[in-house]
Amino acid sequence: EPEVTQTPSHQVTQMGQEVILRCVPISNHLYFYWYRQILGQKVEFLVSFYNNEISEKSEIFDDQFSVERPDGSNFTLKIRSTKLEDSAMYFCASYPPGSSVNQPQHFGDGTRLSIL
Amino acid sequence: DQQVKQNSPSLSVQEGRISILNCDYTNSMFDYFLWYKKYPAEGPTFLISISSIKDKNEDGRFTVFLNKSAKHLSLHIVPSQPGDSAVYFCAARAQTSGSRLTFGEGTQLTVNP
């Protein structure tokens, strides 16, 4: 069964450094998402991406964050200058096109980001 | 963000019995609800969903019930198996607000052999 893949599985970065998290969505999916889960908290929506542009973003997704689909397969989340509070699990998800809008999002296994 | 709430952080049941996981929501614009299962070190895996025009959806051992007037949904697993032990997340979407999912806190289900 096709799946969303994320790399790396664990990223350790010094505070203030830039980090790029990578995702390969399921190949025929057109909608892409980033969510995060801080330890002990809920899974939170960050951003959605469709047709090569951001379609929706949360208040968490400030100017430090950006997303890109640099080629036909990868979808990346960049954090420009990381802060301690950016430490979390980051999940990528994708969502298929179809006649029904009621389709589930499919999640990758996440990248654990640890900011030191 | 308290729009989706799972009040039970944990649930323990015996193998073969029914597991009932509950979820409450406050946003009346939610029109699509999902349950995800999550094992440690893995991402959420889609389990079952229900549209707001239905009150029940069944898939094998899993049934989701939706009570719109009470803004409550539940996931029934019967019979429960030890492999069902995982964290279960309730999630909801309001189509009028885009396609983002709003998650509950999760419930850790433990099925004892």
Side-chain angles (χ1 to χ4, degrees):
Chain A
E1 186 175 323
E3 57 182 29
V4 176
T5 57
Q6 291 186 243
T7 55
S9 56
H10 191 191
Q11 174 79 47
V12 182
T13 302
Q14 290 288 332
M15 187 172 60
Q17 296 295 304
E18 174 183 287
V19 67
I20 297 176
L21 309 183
R22 303 181 192 278
C23 170
V24 178
I26 296 173
S27 63
N28 67 333
H29 287 191
L30 297 181
Y31 300 83
F32 314 116
Y33 305 83
W34 285 100
Y35 292 81
R36 78 172 185 191
Q37 186 179 27
I38 295 171
L39 187 64
Q41 298 187 23
K42 291 184 177 186
V43 175
E44 304 172 286
F45 167 79
L46 292 178
V47 66
S48 61
F49 192 85
Y50 171 71
N51 202 25
N52 284 320
E53 60 183 26
I54 291 173
S55 51
E56 198 182 351
K57 60 183 181 179
S58 73
E59 55 281 356
I60 303 167
F61 194 88
D62 62 21
D63 292 344
Q64 294 297 315
F65 291 88
S66 62
V67 289
E68 195 176 36
R69 189 155 162 81
D71 53 42
S73 59
N74 289 285
F75 178 52
T76 62
L77 174 70
K78 182 194 291 186
I79 309 175
R80 256 178 278 282
S81 178
T82 49
K83 302 188 275 285
L84 292 175
E85 54 264 37
D86 293 328
S87 295
M89 281 293 291
Y90 287 80
F91 294 106
C92 174
S94 68
Y95 171 81
S99 56
S100 169
V101 297
N102 290 337
Q103 301 259 14
Q105 293 175 19
H106 297 267
F107 285 78
D109 285 341
T111 293
R112 177 170 299 284
L113 178 62
S114 300
I115 307 301
L116 304 179
Chain B
D1 178 1
Q2 298 293 306
Q3 293 190 76
V4 178
K5 193 135 185 70
Q6 295 175 255
N7 287 309
S8 298
S10 63
L11 175 69
S12 183
V13 300
Q14 284 299 120
E15 180 178 6
R17 306 294 286 267
I18 186 170
S19 297
I20 300 176
L21 297 106
N22 293 302
C23 178
D24 296 296
Y25 62 95
T26 57
N27 187 345
S28 58
M29 300 305 291
F30 286 145
D31 58 3
Y32 182 54
F33 303 88
L34 309 92
W35 284 96
Y36 284 87
K37 178 169 76 172
K38 186 181 180 305
Y39 294 116
E42 294 184 12
T45 301
F46 170 70
L47 200 54
I48 192 169
S49 63
I50 188 166
S51 160
S52 60
I53 63 173
K54 295 187 173 182
D55 53 20
K56 177 182 173 181
N57 189 26
E58 191 171 352
D59 183 3
R61 296 185 297 114
F62 303 92
T63 303
V64 56
F65 295 91
L66 175 63
N67 182 335
K68 287 189 290 295
S69 60
K71 294 191 175 67
H72 177 84
L73 67 156
S74 61
L75 174 68
H76 292 209
I77 306 173
V78 56
S80 301
Q81 300 172 353
D84 295 329
S85 297
V87 176
Y88 287 77
F89 290 100
C90 168
R93 187 210 65 199
Q95 191 180 342
T96 53
S97 303
S99 58
R100 71 167 73 183
L101 296 180
T102 302
F103 282 83
E105 297 87 343
T107 297
Q108 171 70 59
L109 173 67
T110 302
V111 181
N112 300 302

